[in-house]
Every structure is written in C-alpha cells, then in structure tokens.
C-alpha cells in the first residue's frame, strides 16, 4: 500500500519547558516540526479529509500539548506523539523534533538545541 507523509515545519510555540526555574517562570520559544506517515491512497482517490491527516488538527494538538510544562523535551515529544496517534490511528510512524530557541546555557551563545524522535 502506498505510503505518504504530512509535514509541519517549525511551528513556533511559546512554552515553559526546562529544568531551570527561569525556564518555568519566563518560558521560551520553541519550534516544533513533525512528519507523519500514513496510507495516502484514500485521500488521493476520495479527495476528502476523512482519508487523510488533518494538519490543522495536528497543529491544535501540538499547541495544546505544549501548554503543559515539562522538565524534558523528550517528555513533551511523547505526549504529542500519543495525542496525535489517539486522534489519527491510521498513522504508521513519524518523526517529531522540538527545538528550544536561545536556551539559557551559561557562557554559551547558540541558536537552539533540539531533540528528535523517530518511530
């Protein structure tokens, strides 16, 4: 069966994830990117949202999940993955990446740090 993917690239979200008190009080900008694999044939033939992954709903799930603070980005990734799979059981796999922009690391100037998970 043909497999397709839907990608959401660098969805910017302000959230409160991190182990430092400052990150929990002040928050930070994050970019969330996701690639979801699914059987694409129904969408190609039926031209209907019922045969695909509605990326607007995926964005809502990501934004909603990001509102709950976590110490680790890995925990956020797993919560996003579970929520999306619960809503769209036809997903066959995917990749989620969360990038923390300008992380507060002493004596370091860097654009971002990121965690990526593929299943």
């Amino acid at each position: 069966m043909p497999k397709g993917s839907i990608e959401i690239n660098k969805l910017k979200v302000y959230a409160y994830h991190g182990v430092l008190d400052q990150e929990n009080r002040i928050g930070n900008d994050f970019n969330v990117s996701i690639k979801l694999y699914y059987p694409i044939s129904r969408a190609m033939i039926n031209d209907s949202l019922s045969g695909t992954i509605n990326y607007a709903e995926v964005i809502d799930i990501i934004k909603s999940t990001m509102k709950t603070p976590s110490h680790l980005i890995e925990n956020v990734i797993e919560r996003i993955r579970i929520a999306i799979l619960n809503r769209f059981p036809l997903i066959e796999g995917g990749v989620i990446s969360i990038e923390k922009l300008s992380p507060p690391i002493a004596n370091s100037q860097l654009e971002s740090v990121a965690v990526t998970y593929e299943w």
Side-chain angles (χ1 to χ4, degrees), residues 34-50:
I34 190 165
K35 184 173 189 173
L36 301 170
Y37 297 103
Y38 68 104
I40 196 169
S41 296
R42 277 191 354 199
M44 294 173 78
I45 294 166
N46 297 333
D47 192 27
S48 169
L49 277 176
S50 65

Side-chain angles (χ1 to χ4, degrees), residues 5-10 33-38 55 59:
S5 67
I6 286 181
E7 295 183 42
I8 297 166
N9 299 302
K10 296 194 180 226
S33 297
I34 190 165
K35 184 173 189 173
L36 301 170
Y37 297 103
Y38 68 104
Y55 55 80
I59 289 170

Side-chain angles (χ1 to χ4, degrees), residues 69-88:
S70 290
H71 286 108
L72 301 177
I73 295 172
E74 292 88 341
N75 179 262
V76 183
I77 286 174
E78 180 64 358
R79 290 188 293 110
I80 289 171
R81 187 182 76 84
I82 289 169
I84 290 171
L85 288 174
N86 284 337
R87 173 60 188 93
F88 298 102

Side-chain angles (χ1 to χ4, degrees):
M1 176 171 292
K3 187 173 14 177
S5 67
I6 286 181
E7 295 183 42
I8 297 166
N9 299 302
K10 296 194 180 226
L11 172 66
K12 190 173 240 177
V13 181
Y14 197 84
Y16 299 86
H17 307 302
V19 295
L20 301 177
D21 288 337
Q22 166 187 338
E23 295 174 296
N24 296 299
R25 278 191 333 274
I26 298 170
N28 205 342
D29 285 315
F30 294 82
N31 283 331
V32 181
S33 297
I34 190 165
K35 184 173 189 173
L36 301 170
Y37 297 103
Y38 68 104
I40 196 169
S41 296
R42 277 191 354 199
M44 294 173 78
I45 294 166
N46 297 333
D47 192 27
S48 169
L49 277 176
S50 65
T52 189
I53 309 298
N54 183 333
Y55 55 80
E57 286 187 47
V58 173
I59 289 170
D60 286 343
I61 290 169
I62 292 168
K63 288 165 43 176
S64 174
T65 305
M66 290 290 287
K67 287 180 182 177
T68 302
S70 290
H71 286 108
L72 301 177
I73 295 172
E74 292 88 341
N75 179 262
V76 183
I77 286 174
E78 180 64 358
R79 290 188 293 110
I80 289 171
R81 187 182 76 84
I82 289 169
I84 290 171
L85 288 174
N86 284 337
R87 173 60 188 93
F88 298 102
L90 55 109
I91 292 172
E92 298 174 339
V95 179
I96 300 174
S97 180
I98 299 181
E99 178 182 26
K100 183 185 289 188
L101 305 178
S102 303
I105 299 173
N107 302 318
S108 299
Q109 288 186 331
L110 64 144
E111 184 177 302
S112 67
V113 296
V115 174
T116 300
Y117 177 64
E118 183 172 354
W119 80 95

